[in-house]
Amino acid sequence: MHIGRTTLSKFVIEQTRGAHSEMGALLIDVAAAVKTISGLVGKGALSGFSGSMASTNVQGEVQKKLDVLTNEAILRHCEWGGQLAGMASEEMDAPYAIPAEYPRGRYLLIFDPLDGSSNSDVNVSVGTIFSILQRPTAGDAEPADFLQPGARQVAAGYAIYGPSTMLVLSVGTGTHGFTLHRESGNFILTHPDIRVPETTREFAINTSNERFWEPPVQRYVSECKAGKTGIREADFNMRWIASMVAEVHRILMRGGIFMYPKDNKDPAKPGRLRLLYEANPMAMLIEQAGGAASTGRGRILDVAPEALHQRVPVMLGSREEVERLERYHHEYDTGADRPFASPLFAERSLFRD
């Protein structure tokens, strides 16, 4: 039973009193969208919405039917309340204008409606990621309004659709987890003030791309794989789910580091993950939980966006491991890592600018 426990509605109202009181209503609308998506995802193959469509999104990726349906769910739940100046989605080429019949606010909602959607057909956890920014005044958003560094986010969060549906949220006062109580329909605060352990012995990366990584990442992963017989003198476990929400959720619950680094597989892309829709909101959640989030060469939240669908390298999780990776990048960039050279790093010239 959840009698007497804090609900999401009560939490956001208490946390957003004052300057961000309207944001509380927006977050409640986002939570309503999450409940709708949870229902869609939870039906699995019974919904009739599994599989891919003939269309692609702006990144050239084949869209799943659920990508389109979940995108629509968020738009419909959030467009009418009067808190928003505009929305932007990973699934849409351009920002979404609030329909003329609805009032405008000063907030901007940026979201990935179904992160890891390729996993939905095989019943692996997927999620929704969102970020909230603001503009100085209410009105119709301009495209430039969305291009703000992640440090200016006023809220960020994700929902994970697994054995239970959870919504993990930060409004700048820590990172907090809420579990959906299906009988009542309420999100209940079950994980207050989540903290990421500073140290870890667990890492997540897609090692099939190892030959494309920059030498600092090759160095870090090779040291982890060497275990107790290597210079780290400790055994590490490797994880990879191919769903950023699931990876970050595991790190928030028990520590670890997640890496989707820069590589030379596609030189036109400086990274794989989207700055506005994925990297920034997850970086805020991790930092608010005491962890760190970096591109390898700087704090993610300090990156100045240049485009709506910009990509960046992402390394986030337990602070000590993220700082080690940053140090390896610095040593590589300055040539200070030469004593560590090995055949694994022989192709370093491929990565020089």
Side-chain angles (χ1 to χ4, degrees):
M1 295 295 291
H2 66 275
I3 295 174
R5 302 183 75 173
T6 299
T7 64
L8 176 68
S9 298
K10 180 180 178 182
F11 178 88
V12 298
I13 290 170
E14 290 178 344
Q15 293 291 319
T16 59
R17 284 195 178 113
H20 293 295
S21 58
E22 292 183 359
M23 188 174 71
L26 173 58
L27 288 169
I28 291 170
D29 287 342
V30 170
V34 165
K35 293 176 192 177
T36 296
I37 295 171
S38 178
L40 287 170
V41 172
K43 291 177 182 177
L46 296 174
S47 69
F49 300 134
S50 59
S52 301
M53 301 181 66
S55 60
T56 59
N57 62 19
V58 67
Q59 290 87 22
E61 300 164 339
V62 175
Q63 290 180 305
K64 295 287 185 180
K65 294 176 184 177
L66 278 173
D67 286 324
V68 176
L69 288 169
T70 54
N71 189 76
E72 191 73 10
I74 295 176
L75 296 178
R76 297 291 86 81
H77 276 285
C78 299
E79 65 185 358
W80 64 276
Q83 300 89 24
L84 287 172
M87 289 184 267
S89 166
E90 183 180 312
E91 298 300 327
M92 299 187 296
D93 295 7
Y96 176 81
I98 303 301
E101 63 267 28
Y102 300 130
R104 273 68 169 158
R106 60 193 175 104
Y107 291 101
L108 307 167
L109 180 63
I110 302 172
F111 58 91
D112 178 354
L114 197 63
D115 175 74
S117 59
S118 61
N119 286 325
S120 60
D121 290 343
V122 293
N123 205 25
V124 173
S125 293
V126 293
T128 297
I129 309 173
F130 63 92
S131 166
I132 298 177
L133 298 164
Q134 61 180 330
R135 65 196 301 269
T137 59
D140 290 316
E142 300 291 335
D145 291 333
F146 294 90
L147 303 182
Q148 301 182 39
R152 296 185 188 173
Q153 293 174 112
V154 292
Y158 67 78
I160 182 168
Y161 312 110
S164 62
T165 293
M166 284 189 65
L167 195 154
V168 178
L169 171 70
S170 178
V171 293
T173 57
T175 298
H176 311 276
F178 301 80
T179 301
L180 180 62
H181 186 271
R182 298 187 188 279
E183 287 76 12
S184 68
N186 289 325
F187 277 103
I188 309 299
L189 180 62
T190 51
H191 296 72
D193 196 23
I194 298 167
R195 306 302 294 174
V196 176
E198 291 189 4
T199 61
T200 184
R201 293 294 179 263
E202 192 165 275
F203 67 99
I205 193 167
N206 183 358
T207 55
S208 69
N209 290 325
E210 185 169 7
R211 64 196 185 279
F212 302 114
W213 297 338
E214 289 188 285
V217 178
Q218 291 179 334
R219 173 185 172 187
Y220 176 84
V221 173
S222 69
E223 290 177 356
C224 292
K225 291 193 295 184
K228 289 183 178 179
T229 62
I231 67 170
R232 298 298 302 272
E233 298 180 338
D235 289 330
F236 283 73
N237 290 323
M238 189 182 75
R239 300 285 184 263
W240 186 250
I241 307 174
S243 168
M244 189 185 189
V245 164
E247 305 284 4
V248 171
H249 188 71
R250 185 186 62 248
I251 289 169
L252 284 171
M253 294 298 106
R254 69 184 192 199
I257 182 169
F258 167 83
M259 295 168 280
Y260 217 129
K262 176 183 177 182
D263 60 42
N264 70 342
K265 187 176 184 179
D266 185 348
K269 295 178 180 178
R272 177 69 174 83
L273 299 176
R274 287 77 175 179
L275 175 62
L276 298 183
Y277 308 104
E278 296 164 318
N280 275 343
M282 292 306 201
M284 180 177 180
L285 292 168
I286 288 289
E287 285 198 3
Q288 286 287 317
S294 175
T295 65
R297 293 178 169 89
R299 184 182 179 224
I300 287 174
L301 295 181
D302 290 337
V303 176
E306 298 176 355
L308 199 60
H309 297 282
Q310 179 176 340
R311 300 173 189 251
V312 292
V314 173
M315 302 164 198
L316 56 77
S318 296
R319 179 169 296 278
E320 288 186 5
E321 297 304 305
V322 174
E323 290 175 349
R324 177 182 287 268
L325 263 169
E326 285 192 320
R327 186 170 76 251
Y328 286 3
H329 279 80
H330 175 73
E331 290 174 356
Y332 167 70
D333 291 342
T334 60
D337 65 341
R338 288 175 184 170
F340 303 98
S342 77
L344 186 63
F345 312 138
E347 300 301 322
R348 60 186 298 159
S349 62
L350 293 175
F351 301 95
R352 293 299 189 191
D353 294 329

